[in-house]
Amino acid sequence: MGITADIVLIVVAALVGGLVAQRLHQPLIVGYILAGVVVGPYTGGVTVTAIHDIELLAEIGVALLLFALGIEFSFRELRPVRMIALLGTSLQMACTMAYGAGIGWLLGWAWLPSLWFGALMALSSTMVILKTLMSRGLLGTLSSRVMIGMLLVQDLAVVPLMIILPQLQHLDGGLQQIGLAGLRAAVFLAAMVLLGTRIVPWLMTYVARWNSRELFFLVVTALGLGVGYTTYLAGLSFAFGAFVVGMVISESVYSHQALGDILPLRDLFGLLFFVSVGMLLDPVFLISHAGTVALVVALVLLGKGLICGVIARLFGYGNVVPWAVGLGLFQIGEFSFVLARVGVSSGALTAEMYALVLSAALVTMLLTPVVSRAAEPLYALSRRWSRQVPLQTRHLPRQGLQEHVVIAGGGRVGHYVADVLQRLHCGAVVIELDQRRVEQYQAAGIPVIYGDASHPVVLEAAAVARARLLVLTVPAITVAHAIVTQVRRLAPALPIVARAEAVEHMHRLHDLGVNEVVQPEFEAGLEMVRQALLALAIPAVDVEHYTDTVRAELYAPLYRPQATYHTLAQLRRASQQLALTWVRIPDESCLAGQTIEAMRIRSRTGASVVAVLRDGQAPVYPAPSQTLYAGDLVGVLGRRLMVLIIGNFERQ
């Protein structure tokens, strides 16, 4: 069957490798690469025969990877950490490339492959970092924002590296080749800005009007691969064109649908790429050069980790952030494989060099979850012999925080809570990571601490161990998980009220020890239902009974072991029996012109008229001799409703 049998073999092997990687809590790409080693030409057994054809298909995978990256790219994600993401990452890559070139020189390589190795080493793994952060519940923390910002810029740097590095082999012609490649890239970018931003949105709008998912998917794929092939004919990288058109699509209203449609195709061809990467790895080489691989891994971990950590510190990030960034970004990433394949095809890297780089990259990826966990212990150890970086605080009481409320998250919800507590003269302190919000709290005179609430040093500054309550307004479950975990270490018995982004997250938070969980979307929907029922003239007592029942169905399973919930529910139901219902007496009602005593309302209905509101005046608390008139608003206390009362009198 030729290449068909090879593709089937690769997909099945990748499935097995992916299952094993998932079971071992590793990124799927590690399983794909190991599957490529198994079906590659160096291991014997069942082997892929049409290796060259698979490598050609893998080039489509590279183009689709960068195409999807272009669609996902957003400057908004870089805004909170834009300085370190743009300037810091550029500095980090330059320093790492120089350091990597030094390692290559130490290994006895020539200057060109040494420089290539430095470029490969400068790129970290977005997939590995995201999976590690998600598994530890750290997405959304300050450390994770810094890392993701730097990773995004590193991924973008692959494109110019793929253009510039291959041209370095032609330095005998001076810088003419590099300048020419840069000029072609600039012309292509200008053409895409002038034409692509007009033609591409028009074409996608034209096709979208037909409401055909197949045609929309086809036009997205054709744009990504077609523009990529055009750039290849122009002497540039196939993947570069795909990336640029992806960025053009990202600015359109169709970006989310385009990304959703292209992801399965990207994942399939990306699978072929990573398997083809593994097929070039010789296990015999890895065993025979184990010492060299271990040395390279150690040098990469120490050197690149130190560079990333120092740069984070230089850009003003203190406490645990430099440790987390350094021990998180030390690995060699998946886009290094893309760049390494270009180096092999251009002749800059030999097969032996490629095998060494690939082996070191795989080992650093496998070490990332373990090494990244050492950030907090090492930071705690460093605090014992170094001066702690002071936190930015505003309006904290001079006598210190005591019996106060800690509000983790100073967004809109946190601001409402802080404002109410301030009006009630309840001590509270807000922990917020957005400098603009910190300045707003400062202007309002509300105590605030700038920092990440998932870090112990920030929680200690907020005196969480001496607090009466923690109000957690952060919606992301991963961030909330990290904060609650740290709070429970410092204050095991502290009551916590948390906000859940989804109903399924409520159980996760409750299992972590959160005392009360509020789901805003559910509460907002329930309030809209309540208002709608009142607008439909459904009696208020019935409306409250319904909303209480629905709320109990959601919250009661969380608090079933607690007797207090049932007590509160009983009190709420009892209060409903005493609910005050306001009803206007119509002109034709027999109650109009009669006294309460004469109509014997209480004895005949079981309800009591406790207030009368007439002509916008203050409410009157009527005596039995009070006369009721048409148009009066009557406040009725009791289970039976005034609407039914009026109906009863009419029928009698």
Side-chain angles (χ1 to χ4, degrees):
M1 294 177 65
I3 191 174
T4 304
D6 288 338
I7 292 176
V8 172
L9 176 61
I10 287 173
V11 172
V12 173
L15 172 61
V16 175
L19 292 174
V20 172
Q22 185 72 20
R23 183 66 177 175
L24 297 176
H25 305 289
Q26 296 296 327
L28 293 181
I29 60 172
V30 174
Y32 297 160
I33 294 174
L34 294 179
V37 175
V38 173
V39 299
Y42 301 107
T43 53
V46 181
T47 304
V48 172
T49 56
I51 295 178
H52 179 67
D53 294 336
I54 296 299
E55 290 177 345
L56 293 177
L57 291 176
E59 293 297 324
I60 299 179
V62 174
L64 292 176
L65 281 172
L66 290 176
F67 179 51
L69 176 65
I71 297 177
E72 292 178 294
F73 175 72
S74 173
F75 281 107
R76 290 188 297 271
E77 297 181 10
L78 293 178
R79 195 169 299 159
V81 291
R82 56 186 178 274
M83 292 301 294
I84 190 172
L86 298 174
L87 300 180
T89 305
S90 302
L91 180 60
Q92 173 262 317
M93 293 192 67
C95 294
T96 307
M97 289 178 67
Y99 176 72
I103 295 178
W105 174 81
L106 180 65
L107 296 174
W109 296 355
W111 73 271
L112 183 58
S114 297
L115 184 61
W116 272 85
F117 177 73
L120 300 175
M121 180 179 160
L123 302 173
S124 302
S125 175
T126 304
M127 295 181 182
V128 172
I129 290 297
L130 287 177
K131 184 174 181 61
T132 302
L133 292 172
M134 290 176 62
S135 65
R136 297 182 58 198
L138 296 178
L139 275 179
T141 62
L142 179 59
S143 303
S144 69
R145 294 182 186 182
V146 172
M147 285 189 278
I148 291 174
M150 295 180 69
L151 286 167
L152 183 57
V153 176
Q154 285 182 7
D155 292 345
L156 295 176
V158 173
V159 178
L161 289 175
M162 293 176 65
I163 296 174
I164 296 173
L165 288 178
Q167 304 299 328
L168 296 179
Q169 294 177 270
H170 308 290
L171 289 181
D172 53 342
L175 298 177
Q176 181 179 358
Q177 294 293 332
I178 298 177
L180 184 60
L183 179 62
R184 287 198 298 265
V187 171
F188 175 75
L189 284 172
M192 287 300 298
V193 170
L194 294 175
L195 300 178
T197 54
R198 291 173 172 82
I199 297 177
V200 171
W202 173 84
L203 178 61
M204 298 185 72
T205 302
Y206 182 76
V207 173
R209 288 174 180 170
W210 290 350
N211 294 322
S212 173
R213 289 286 302 273
E214 292 83 0
L215 281 176
F216 187 84
F217 168 72
L218 185 59
V219 74
V220 170
T221 308
L223 283 172
L225 299 181
V227 175
Y229 183 66
T230 302
T231 58
Y232 170 76
L233 295 177
L236 294 171
S237 168
F238 181 29
F240 172 66
F243 170 76
V244 173
V245 74
M247 289 189 65
V248 172
I249 294 177
S250 71
E251 298 300 321
S252 71
V253 296
Y254 306 104
S255 59
H256 295 92
Q257 183 61 40
L259 181 61
D261 285 347
I262 206 66
L263 282 180
L265 190 65
R266 181 205 68 177
D267 292 341
L268 178 60
F269 279 92
L271 177 151
L272 293 177
F273 168 72
F274 289 115
V275 171
S276 69
V277 166
M279 288 192 299
L280 295 179
L281 178 62
D282 185 358
V284 176
F285 171 86
L286 178 59
I287 296 173
S288 60
H289 294 77
T292 305
V293 173
L295 175 63
V296 171
V297 169
L299 292 174
V300 169
L301 193 158
L302 295 174
K304 185 179 178 182
L306 181 62
I307 291 171
C308 293
V310 168
I311 286 176
R313 187 68 192 92
L314 288 176
F315 277 80
Y317 295 94
N319 297 311
V320 77
V321 175
W323 291 94
V325 172
L327 297 178
L329 299 181
F330 75 92
Q331 77 286 132
I332 301 175
E334 61 272 1
F335 276 111
S336 299
F337 302 144
V338 176
L339 194 58
R341 289 292 298 269
V342 177
V344 173
S345 61
S346 65
L349 296 176
T350 65
E352 182 176 343
M353 295 173 180
Y354 178 85
L356 178 61
V357 172
L358 179 58
S359 302
L362 285 175
V363 174
T364 56
M365 284 182 174
L366 294 172
L367 288 176
T368 297
V370 178
V371 173
S372 63
R373 290 183 179 274
E376 290 186 5
L378 289 175
Y379 168 64
L381 184 64
S382 69
R383 290 179 60 202
R384 298 180 181 178
W385 51 268
S386 64
R387 185 173 61 88
Q388 179 181 342
V389 179
L391 291 171
Q392 179 183 344
T393 61
R394 294 290 186 273
H395 301 297
L396 295 187
R398 294 181 179 179
Q399 67 275 18
L401 296 167
Q402 191 76 30
E403 293 294 314
H404 57 290
V405 178
V406 178
I407 304 172
R412 287 175 296 179
V413 176
H415 199 283
Y416 296 150
V417 175
D419 185 59
V420 171
L421 292 176
Q422 189 182 42
R423 293 183 183 184
L424 296 175
H425 304 288
C426 295
V429 60
V430 180
I431 301 176
E432 176 53 44
L433 195 57
D434 191 324
Q435 180 62 34
R436 293 171 298 176
R437 291 174 179 166
V438 170
E439 294 172 356
Q440 292 173 0
Y441 282 105
Q442 179 183 357
I446 298 175
V448 60
I449 297 174
Y450 175 83
D452 188 342
S454 65
H455 291 160
V457 66
V458 178
L459 294 173
E460 290 173 2
V464 71
R466 301 192 300 272
R468 297 175 58 189
L469 175 70
L470 171 69
V471 178
L472 182 56
T473 67
V474 180
I477 183 62
T478 53
V479 182
H481 186 288
I483 294 174
V484 173
T485 301
Q486 294 296 341
V487 169
R488 282 292 170 244
R489 293 175 183 173
L490 299 172
L494 179 66
I496 301 176
V497 177
R499 169 186 177 184
E501 194 173 22
V503 174
E504 58 269 19
H505 295 163
M506 297 175 64
H507 295 274
R508 290 182 57 184
L509 290 172
H510 185 261
D511 292 340
L512 286 172
V514 174
N515 303 83
E516 298 288 342
V517 184
V518 178
Q519 212 285 309
E521 285 75 14
F522 170 79
E523 294 293 344
L526 198 59
E527 177 62 19
M528 293 183 70
V529 170
R530 193 181 76 84
Q531 295 292 342
L533 294 178
L534 290 175
L536 294 173
I538 304 297
V541 174
D542 291 352
V543 173
E544 294 299 328
H545 176 73
Y546 168 76
T547 55
D548 182 67
T549 301
V550 173
R551 185 179 285 107
E553 291 175 356
L554 178 68
Y555 291 108
L558 297 177
Y559 309 109
R560 187 167 287 132
Q562 303 178 13
T564 54
Y565 179 83
H566 296 285
T567 302
L568 291 174
Q570 290 174 354
L571 290 174
R572 187 180 294 114
R573 284 192 293 269
S575 67
Q576 289 173 358
Q577 308 306 318
L578 302 176
L580 187 65
T581 302
W582 289 92
V583 180
R584 188 178 299 277
I585 297 179
D587 294 337
E588 65 277 7
S589 173
C590 64
L591 293 175
Q594 301 292 329
T595 65
I596 298 174
E597 183 179 22
M599 299 302 296
R600 295 184 292 112
I601 294 176
R602 179 174 176 78
S603 61
R604 295 169 65 180
T605 66
S608 299
V609 177
V610 297
V612 176
L613 188 63
R614 181 178 300 160
D615 297 331
Q617 300 176 358
V620 176
Y621 304 100
S625 59
Q626 175 72 44
T627 301
L628 303 179
Y629 295 100
D632 284 350
L633 279 174
V634 179
V636 182
L637 189 67
R639 299 185 57 140
R640 304 190 64 180
L641 306 175
M642 196 64 185
V643 176
L644 297 179
I645 294 171
I646 296 173
N648 286 338
F649 279 112
E650 295 295 339
R651 287 193 296 271
Q652 295 173 6

